Structure formats: C-alpha cells, structure tokens
Amino acid sequence: MNFDLSEDQQLLKDTFERFLKQTYGFEQRKAACAKPEGWSHDIWREMAEIGLTGLLVPEAHGGFGGGKVEAMVALEALGSALVVEPFLPTAVLCAHLIAKHGTTAIAEEYLPKIVDGSALLALAHMERQAPLDPANVATTAKPSGDGYVLNGEKTLVLHGDSAQALIVSARVAGNQTDRAGIGLFLVDAKASGLKRQAYATQDNGRAAEISLYDVPARALGEAVAKDGLLALEATIDLGMACICVEAVGAMAALHALTVDYLKMRKQFGLPIGAFQVLQHRAADMYIALELARSMAISAMMSTDEPDAHKRHQAIAAAKVQIGRAGMMLGEEATQLHGGIGMTMEYASGHYFKRLTMIDAQWGDADHHLGQLARQGSLLSD
Amino acid sequence: MDMQLTADEVAFRKEVRSFIRSALPTQIRDKVAAGGYGSRDEMIEWTRILHAKGWSVPHWPVQWGGTGWSPMQLAIFDDEIQLANAPQPLAFGVNMLGPVLYTFGNEAQKARFLPRIANLDDWWCQGFSEPGAGSDLASLKTSARLEGNAYIVNGQKTWTTLAQYAEWIFCLVRTDPESLQPGRKKQEGISFLLIDMKTKGITVRPIQTIDGGVEVNEVFFDDVRVPVENLVGQENRGWDYAKFLLGNERNGIARTGATKEKLRRIRQLAQNGYEGGPPRAHDRRFMEKLTAAEIELRALEITQWRVLARVAKNPKGKPDPASSILKIKGSQMQQCATELLLEMAGPYAMVRKSSASDAHNQPPVGPEWAAVTAPQYFNYRKVSIYGGSNEIQRNIIAKAILGF
Ligand SMILES: Cc1cc2nc3c(=O)[nH]c(=O)nc-3n(C[C@H](O)[C@H](O)[C@H](O)COP(=O)(O)OP(=O)(O)OC[C@H]3O[C@@H](n4cnc5c(N)ncnc54)[C@H](O)[C@@H]3O)c2cc1C
C-alpha cells in the first residue's frame, strides 16, 4: 500500500498549484465570476496551455493521457481555489465519454479541441421527474436519416449554457424507467429546436435547462446508441468521485483559512485560538477532513473498478462521508469566523457554498446512505 | 498511489488468518465474540499458543522473540487477531513494558523479564494513574525514597487494570520530591520502577465499574521495599520512558478489526432476526445507522493505512500526531458499535444476566447475546477516557498539528 505521488505526479501537482496561486486568488476569482458567462475564457485558455483541459484526453488525441491519480491531483487543486471554469463537464465527463465510447469521427473532432481549450461540452442527463435516477428517461431519440431526432427536456445541465455541444441521454426503446434502451447522443447546441434557459447556481457555477424539439443528433458511439446507461452511470460515478476530491481540496483550504483566522483574530486580549473550546472544534474539523480525504482517495481509486456494483458502492460511500464532512466544515468554519464569515467579501462563505452544493449534486449524503443501506455490507474482508 | 495489499501481504494475511483461526480455542473465541474477555488462564493459554508459534511479541526485536515483520505485516497481524475474536496479547507487558525494557533497560533486566513477558509467565499491570494524577499524570505523588540498596515506596495508584491477576507492576514514582516545588518541572523528578506484587506492604482493592465488572483496582503502597536493581534507566528520567511508552500505546489504538467484527455480527443479527423481534433489516432507520457506521469505519481504516504508510517510511521516528485521529475516531467507532448492539437488543437489553438466570439455574430471559449488550455499552465508555482521553488527544492535534 502506498499513498505517495510519483515524481511526475508531484511535478504536475506543483504546476497546477503554482498556476492557481498566480491566476486564481480570491480577487481574481471574483473578477472571473463577474464576467457575463460567470467565468473567464482567458483563464480557461491558460488552463488549456498548462495541460489541464486535456489532462484526461488520451495521448493519441493530443492529450496528457492522465489517469485517476492525475485527475485527483488536478481536482484537489481546483477545489482549493474554488475554480468555476467548466472543467468537470468538459474535461472530465464529456472527455471521458467521448474517449471511451465516442465514434472515431466524434473523437477526432472534439478531443483535440478539448485539449486546446476551444471546445466546451456539457452532459445533459437529468430530468425533472427524477433528477437522481439516470435510468428515468422520458426524452426520446428516433432514427432519422443517418442520425436521430431528440425530443424532451433536461434539467440542471452544468455549464449547459455555454457548451457548444451536449451529450444527451435519450430513450430509443422501452418505458420511461427501463434500464435498457437508453442511448447517448451528441447534439450541437446551435441545432434547430434546442432551447436553453441559462442560470447561475448558488456556488457561482452555471447551468441550463434544456428543451429539445425535433433536434437533430448523432449517436455518440455505436454501442452506446442503444444501451448507454452503464456508460452513463460509470461517468456519473467518475463525476461523483471527482467532486469528492474537489471537496477535499476545498475543505483543506477552508480549514487552513479558519485555523489562520483563529490565530490572528483577537478578543479579550487574546487570539481567539487560545480558547480551548475553539481549538477542539478546529481539531474535530481536522479529523473530519482527514477521514473525508481517505474516502475521496478510495472513491477515485475505485473509478476503474470493473465490477460496477462495487465501484458504485465505494463511490457512493465516499459521497456520504464527504457530504457530511463538507457540511460540518462549512458550518463550523462560518461559526468560528463570527460575522466576517457571513460576508460575500470573505472567502470562507464561498467554500461553504461550494461544499453545500457538492453535497446536493448527484444525490446528497442521506440519499446515498438510504440507497446503500438497502444493498448489504460495505465492510471489506 | 496504490491501495492494494501486495501479493506477499495477501499471502501473509492468509497464513496468519488460517493459523489464528485454527489455533484459537473455541471457548475463548466465543467469549470474546460475545463481548467478554478471556479469563487469566485463558489469556495465558492463548499467549503460549502464540509464543510456541513465535508470534506472541511480533513487534519486538528478533533477539527478544520478535518476528522482523514490516509495519504493514504487524498491522495485518493485529487486524487478524481482532477479526478472529482472539484476545489481544496482554498490552501491559507486550506493548508497554517490553519496548521500554529493550530500549532503556539494562542487560540483566532484559534477560530477566523479556522472555517471561513473551510467554506470559509474568502478568504485568500498569501503575501510572493516581487519584490526583489522571490526565495530568506528571503531577503524581507516590514517593520512592532510596534507603541503602532499596527504594521505599509509599502512596496510591488507581484504575490499575487487572492488578488482581498481576505478578508485577511497573510504576511511575516520585524520586525527587523537590521537583513538585514551584519553579521546578514536575516531570523531572519521576522514576520508573518495577515492583513485585507479592512485596510486603502492597494492598489491592477492587473497583467495580458501571457495567458490574471488576477490571480495575486501587493499589496501595505502604513502605514497600523495592531493590534498586528494579529501577529502569536513570533515576528521575522516568518521564521520558513513560512518554515513549504512551507513544507506543497509541499504535493500533483504533481497533478497527474488532469494530469491524462487531458490525459484521450486528448485520448478521439484523438479517437473521432473533426470538423476540422481527429482523431489524426491515428497519430503515437502524440499517442507515449501521451503514453510516460501516462507511465511517472504512474511512478510519484507510486513514490508519495512510498513517501507517507514513510511519513505515520512518519507523524509528517520533509518534505521528495523526495517531490522535485514530484514537479519537477509533474509540468513537468502538462505542458506536456497542450502541448499535444495545439498540439491536431492544427491551431485552434490560435483563441483568447474573440476576435472571445464573443465580437460580433458570433458563435465560431473552436472547443470550442481548444480556451482555448493556454491560458492554457501559463498559466501552472507558475507551475514550483511557490511553489519553479524547480531549487530551484534541489538545495534541491542536498543538502538534494545527500549531495552536
Ligand atoms: C477502565 C479503565 C482502565 C484504566 N486502566 C489503567 C491502568 O491500567 N493503569 C493506569 O495507570 N491507568 C489506567 N486508567 C486511568 C486512565 O488513564 C485515566 O482515567 C485517564 O488518564 C484520565 O484521568 P482521570 O480519570 O483522572 O480523569 P481527569 O484527568 O480528571 O479528566 C476528567 C475529564 O476532564 C478532561 N480533561 C482533563 N484535562 C483536560 C485538559 N487539559 N483539557 C481538556 N479536558 C481535560 C478529561 O478528558 C475528562 O473528560 C484506566 C482508566 C479506566 C477508565
């Protein structure tokens, strides 16, 4: 057992951290959030230049060919800086789906553009009637000419507002909740019949509601055109593992910020960190953080577990631990800061908001705990 | 980064598992599985089985009966002991005194005591705490005055676990009374003495704990003569040895294997049901609590590996302050498992076993296992008090890790 980074991975980590330190201070982030799209294209281009956007794209398509550890390194750094640029949907979810399941034509068209930062993509799989059940799909796909036409509505499509293309789950056969008969399709965001309603999320993210009316689409890949649910679920699990790691980055930064504040802020003639009651709360936050880190590592290391059930169990378990820890750290950090923690001007509240939204994303701690409780033991041998 | 055991480690685990499971007498296993402890004789029997295999003191230097296993192998061995419901070898000799002796003791002490610890020929107990010196251990007052070739010891120790079984006690005593004066460091007048429990002037008085058991005692010293050759290391340096000992005590403190075994048993009971209740597996609230405990235990287990991996790189280094996480969370998880068992027993947790059945030779009331859940639950409150209370562990995290 070994929890160290290789030399190359450490180098990567240093590069990302250095980059974010230079380009992504709190004020710089605020400026990025204030842009019309809610994030900065300039920073996105720079992220491409240092290899972030192409991190998970195979080398054959010009990417870095990184795996789960490289993803972990990147997401922890992005989490600690609260990066709002569309890394997850473009560089993780869609890059993964295209690299793994896309046709050669789609891979050749999009992957190099993900690497150079010119492509923005989003994954549209949630529907309003059951946002947490990827198998509950009312959107339909019907063959038409060489391709398909899609009809239906998708909700909470992260960064769906700026994406140039969307990967959409749609039903080719069966009833609305059947596991079989769900395909994955690539849609041009400018296609006729596609409408989107853009909005901001609580944590300065962006999202869109998407409606599809006879929208022309291409199958993402041959195999996933008819039965894409397993691929979609694996991708959602990857996304969950990624936001778990991102949360650990955010928690660690928030904890450090809080400890620094306790040492600096004086009341009653003393740094408030001299009060044991606050030291112990900071210690409990630290414990929660380290347990969360352990589970985030486990989640990420499970993303390529071949047994889908085991994979999902490990990642959902991490989502429970991280969801709870994130809320705890967010609430405690806010309390320990006093009034300043309540202000938009100060960073801690932004971490709190991101951590709260990470819990909400793809099912919160209670949701996954409820599901896991019906599935048998999580104990290893 | 790699979270798998190596092939060699997997094979090692298999070997250890198959030995322990076949060699452990079933009546001892059943007792431990039911939440009890082995008797004195059973502890001796089990230690000698391990000793015959060469495994009773695996972490000691090979010269003194150790195995030369890696930190990972040692952790696997510990885990397997717990998973098999085997008694942990008696910590006072094996984990506490042994390392102090082979690190700071003289050759005569090593030769005299170490082999007898490894074979549990001597039952050792730990005489550190006093009525006035708990968390603030260094304020201890039990005195030892040198008279010719012996120390004369006077005072009282308390909370001394299983002193009623013990042949020997290792004690922290004050050899420099001046060190308690203002302006002096109270840590600097303490020595580490080995005392034969049969010596004249020692009285042991049992303390009954809230679970009804008697595992701790008061030990009184009234002009007890201790030969000077029973001083470990140097006079007035005992605090250094004690700190070393307490640092070692925190290894393996998380007891994840034991908790895992309990949670496994709880799930089994939940699924099978038992006389007096429908299977708890249908109780969603209970199953969610159990699942949350399993998840948290997994998080603790991985955290323990992470600490271990760090320690393995520098095995001779200082104790890692992150082990305080393991103590706090490990004790909380042990307590959580006893809470779940208590809850599982439902109303049958109320029955006090000895009063209902043993005394009158009548059939047990409710399931057998249920009658021990409440005593075990009460007893396990101790795990967050001893070994450095969880508040003291938070102080350590605050100072050594967070820099307050
Ligand atoms: C079952 C059992 C077995 C034991 N076996 C042994 C044994 O074999 N040998 C032996 O020597 N000792 C033994 N002990 C003693 C044990 O080590 C002490 O109980 C422990 O050190 C706590 O001391 P105390 O009981 O005096 O509590 P106190 O130190 O008085 O603590 C009372 C409360 O105050 C808190 N507290 C104390 N100081 C601080 C501080 N600075 N900051 C914040 N909170 C603080 C504690 O956490 C606790 O909650 C045993 C205890 C138990 C319960």
Side-chain angles (χ1 to χ4, degrees):
Chain A
M1 216 166 296
N2 160 22
F3 294 92
D4 296 336
L5 298 177
S6 70
E7 226 165 277
D8 287 350
Q9 290 161 349
Q10 186 61 47
L11 218 62
L12 209 58
K13 183 178 158 79
D14 296 343
T15 307
F16 294 158
E17 286 176 356
R18 200 166 341 107
F19 166 72
L20 290 169
K21 204 163 169 210
Q22 280 161 9
T23 51
Y24 227 87
F26 185 62
E27 291 306 318
Q28 289 155 304
R29 173 183 186 267
K30 205 195 270 178
C33 293
K35 296 201 185 272
E37 270 172 327
W39 53 275
S40 159
H41 282 276
D42 291 341
I43 291 176
W44 183 250
R45 257 191 303 280
E46 290 182 58
M47 285 170 72
E49 274 162 30
I50 66 159
L52 260 169
T53 60
L55 186 67
L56 303 184
V57 173
E59 282 164 298
H61 293 283
F64 185 84
K68 51 196 181 179
V69 181
E70 286 75 17
M72 187 147 69
V73 161
L75 279 147
E76 186 172 348
L78 295 170
S80 68
L82 288 176
V83 170
V84 293
E85 279 62 26
F87 182 80
L88 189 72
T90 298
V92 177
L93 303 175
C94 292
H96 169 82
L97 273 172
I98 293 172
K100 194 118 196 250
H101 305 285
T103 61
T104 315
I106 289 176
E108 282 174 355
E109 182 180 349
Y110 282 100
L111 292 178
K113 289 190 188 160
I114 293 177
V115 175
D116 71 20
S118 60
L120 297 171
L121 298 153
L123 176 61
H125 68 89
M126 286 190 188
E127 299 194 358
R128 247 159 259 145
Q129 72 277 5
L132 300 182
D133 180 3
N136 190 321
V137 177
T139 300
T140 57
K142 296 217 163 56
S144 158
D146 299 346
Y148 293 80
V149 291
L150 305 190
N151 281 281
E153 300 195 342
K154 294 287 172 180
T155 191
L156 280 166
V157 180
L158 294 183
H159 286 288
D161 57 333
S162 57
Q164 297 136 356
L166 303 164
I167 295 176
V168 181
S169 60
R171 191 162 282 292
V172 283
N175 295 317
Q176 188 179 311
T177 56
D178 286 353
R179 288 186 56 81
I182 297 168
L184 297 176
F185 301 90
L186 190 84
V187 179
D188 189 323
K190 291 212 199 66
S192 65
L194 187 149
K195 275 206 216 105
R196 50 187 170 182
Q197 172 202 344
Y199 53 96
T201 57
Q202 287 294 337
D203 49 358
N204 287 96
R206 300 289 303 178
E209 302 294 285
I210 307 277
S211 61
L212 306 152
Y213 182 77
D214 281 342
V215 177
R218 278 186 280 173
L220 178 68
E222 231 155 86
V224 292
K226 292 191 184 63
D227 257 316
L229 184 62
L230 290 179
L232 178 61
E233 285 175 337
T235 306
I236 294 171
D237 279 351
L238 173 65
M240 289 210 296
C242 284
I243 58 174
C244 283
V245 173
E246 189 189 338
V248 167
M251 279 188 250
L254 177 58
H255 187 251
L257 186 68
T258 306
V259 168
D260 283 349
Y261 189 75
L262 292 177
K263 289 178 184 170
M264 185 270 291
R265 167 75 176 166
K266 282 194 172 151
Q267 286 291 281
F268 301 98
L270 290 170
I272 55 175
F275 301 123
Q276 194 190 45
V277 67
L278 302 186
Q279 290 183 3
H280 280 198
R281 287 168 76 166
D284 282 336
M285 290 165 75
Y286 177 73
I287 295 172
L289 162 65
E290 287 306 314
L291 292 190
R293 187 188 295 283
S294 294
M295 287 307 265
I297 294 171
S298 146
M300 208 53 168
M301 299 307 271
S302 304
T303 49
D304 55 7
E305 158 69 49
D307 178 333
H309 176 68
K310 273 199 200 152
R311 177 198 73 218
H312 181 72
Q313 259 199 334
I315 294 171
K319 192 74 174 49
V320 173
Q321 190 78 22
I322 272 100
R324 290 179 162 192
M327 298 297 285
M328 184 263 200
L329 266 105
E331 290 170 6
E332 287 292 275
T334 307
Q335 179 67 22
L336 266 47
H337 273 90
I340 191 83
M342 292 296 298
T343 64
M344 280 289 194
E345 296 303 305
Y346 191 72
S348 76
H350 295 274
Y351 284 107
F352 182 20
K353 289 198 278 184
R354 178 68 192 129
L355 288 168
T356 307
M357 296 312 127
I358 284 178
D359 183 37
Q361 196 171 339
W362 284 311
D364 64 12
D366 281 355
H367 168 80
H368 288 291
L369 185 59
Q371 287 202 336
L372 289 169
R374 289 190 283 274
Q375 289 174 14
S377 175
L378 286 158
L379 300 174
S380 58
D381 287 335
Chain B
M1 185 137 345
D2 179 9
M3 285 180 57
Q4 307 292 322
L5 295 181
T6 63
D8 284 351
E9 285 162 350
V10 170
F12 175 78
R13 189 188 272 283
K14 231 173 123 185
E15 182 197 349
V16 170
R17 179 172 298 191
S18 84
F19 174 76
I20 293 177
R21 301 208 173 191
S22 64
L24 178 65
T26 47
Q27 92 278 0
I28 303 182
R29 183 199 62 203
D30 293 345
K31 232 178 188 176
V32 174
Y37 299 91
S39 68
R40 187 179 195 277
D41 287 345
E42 286 167 342
M43 282 294 290
I44 292 171
E45 182 187 352
W46 173 234
T47 304
R48 292 189 183 162
I49 291 170
L50 287 176
H51 189 53
K53 177 81 180 166
W55 289 359
S56 68
V57 286
H59 53 290
W60 286 14
V62 173
Q63 179 194 359
W64 296 110
T67 50
W69 290 339
S70 69
M72 194 67 201
Q73 287 176 308
L74 290 169
I76 291 171
F77 178 74
D78 253 12
D79 204 38
E80 285 302 322
I81 288 267
Q82 295 170 22
L83 290 170
N85 287 307
Q88 205 83 25
L90 190 68
F92 307 113
V94 171
N95 298 331
M96 298 184 191
L97 181 61
V100 167
L101 285 183
Y102 63 67
T103 311
F104 303 106
N106 60 37
E107 292 311 312
Q109 289 168 339
K110 292 183 210 177
R112 177 173 174 200
F113 293 114
L114 290 175
R116 297 183 60 82
I117 292 174
N119 199 40
L120 199 45
D121 293 326
D122 293 332
W123 190 292
W124 282 89
C125 64
Q126 179 192 21
F128 279 17
S129 306
E130 298 181 3
S135 300
D136 182 14
L137 183 59
S139 65
L140 61 93
K141 291 209 183 70
T142 296
S143 67
R145 173 168 43 85
L146 193 57
E147 249 187 48
N149 59 358
Y151 287 100
I152 310 299
V153 177
N154 280 287
Q156 183 197 340
K157 295 291 173 184
T158 190
W159 312 123
T160 321
T161 297
L162 300 181
Q164 72 268 38
Y165 294 168
E167 273 109 9
W168 285 84
I169 182 169
F170 56 89
C171 281
L172 293 181
V173 293
R174 190 157 302 276
T175 34
D176 179 3
E178 297 297 309
S179 58
L180 284 174
Q181 294 301 314
R184 287 283 309 275
K185 280 193 84 175
K186 57 193 178 188
Q187 286 84 357
E188 287 171 1
I190 294 172
S191 298
F192 197 111
L193 281 189
L194 311 176
I195 306 178
D196 186 335
M197 290 291 281
K198 288 189 296 294
T199 321
K200 196 167 143 260
I202 296 180
T203 313
V204 176
R205 204 163 78 196
I207 301 172
Q208 193 178 28
T209 43
I210 48 176
D211 52 296
V214 181
E215 63 182 68
V216 288
N217 302 270
E218 294 176 293
V219 182
F220 299 89
F221 298 85
D222 182 15
D223 281 338
V224 174
R225 276 183 73 82
V226 180
V228 71
E229 68 251 31
N230 288 3
L231 173 73
V232 175
Q234 295 172 33
E235 199 179 70
N236 294 331
R237 295 293 298 276
W239 187 252
D240 294 344
Y241 316 142
K243 269 200 316 200
F244 168 84
L245 179 152
L246 296 171
N248 292 336
E249 194 183 355
R250 260 185 275 146
N251 294 342
I253 197 86
R255 293 192 56 77
T256 49
T259 302
K260 190 187 278 185
E261 192 44 36
K262 281 207 177 69
L263 294 182
R264 198 169 275 156
R265 199 155 155 266
I266 293 167
R267 188 173 276 279
Q268 228 168 39
L269 285 166
Q271 267 148 10
N272 300 346
Y274 52 89
E275 155 222 350
R280 268 299 176 92
H282 303 311
D283 177 346
R284 201 174 137 178
R285 200 189 48 83
F286 183 83
M287 293 310 284
E288 286 184 5
K289 274 209 251 184
L290 175 58
T291 304
E294 290 178 352
I295 293 171
E296 195 132 47
L297 184 66
R298 174 89 184 129
L300 175 61
E301 200 176 27
I302 299 169
T303 307
Q304 184 171 308
W305 288 337
R306 287 173 49 213
V307 174
L308 189 71
R310 248 191 341 242
V311 172
K313 275 194 275 180
N314 184 13
K316 293 240 159 15
K318 287 195 171 153
D320 192 321
S323 57
S324 290
I325 298 177
L326 307 181
K327 166 74 206 313
I328 294 177
K329 207 70 217 179
S331 60
Q332 289 172 346
M333 292 313 299
Q334 291 179 70
Q335 293 174 337
C336 168
T338 66
E339 282 161 37
L340 287 169
L341 263 169
L342 179 76
E343 192 176 334
M344 172 77 72
Y348 286 108
M350 296 172 69
V351 179
R352 205 159 97 203
K353 198 174 166 214
S354 55
S355 66
S357 56
D358 295 4
H360 309 289
N361 229 353
Q362 282 167 358
V365 179
E368 275 286 322
W369 59 269
V372 297
T373 56
Q376 188 175 209
Y377 164 74
F378 294 127
N379 183 268
Y380 267 62
R381 304 318 297 173
K382 71 187 177 189
V383 298
S384 52
I385 297 171
Y386 65 29
S389 75
N390 283 11
E391 289 71 32
I392 297 299
Q393 303 297 338
R394 288 187 179 91
N395 290 348
I396 294 173
I397 292 175
K399 298 223 157 41
I401 299 178
L402 307 183
F404 283 108

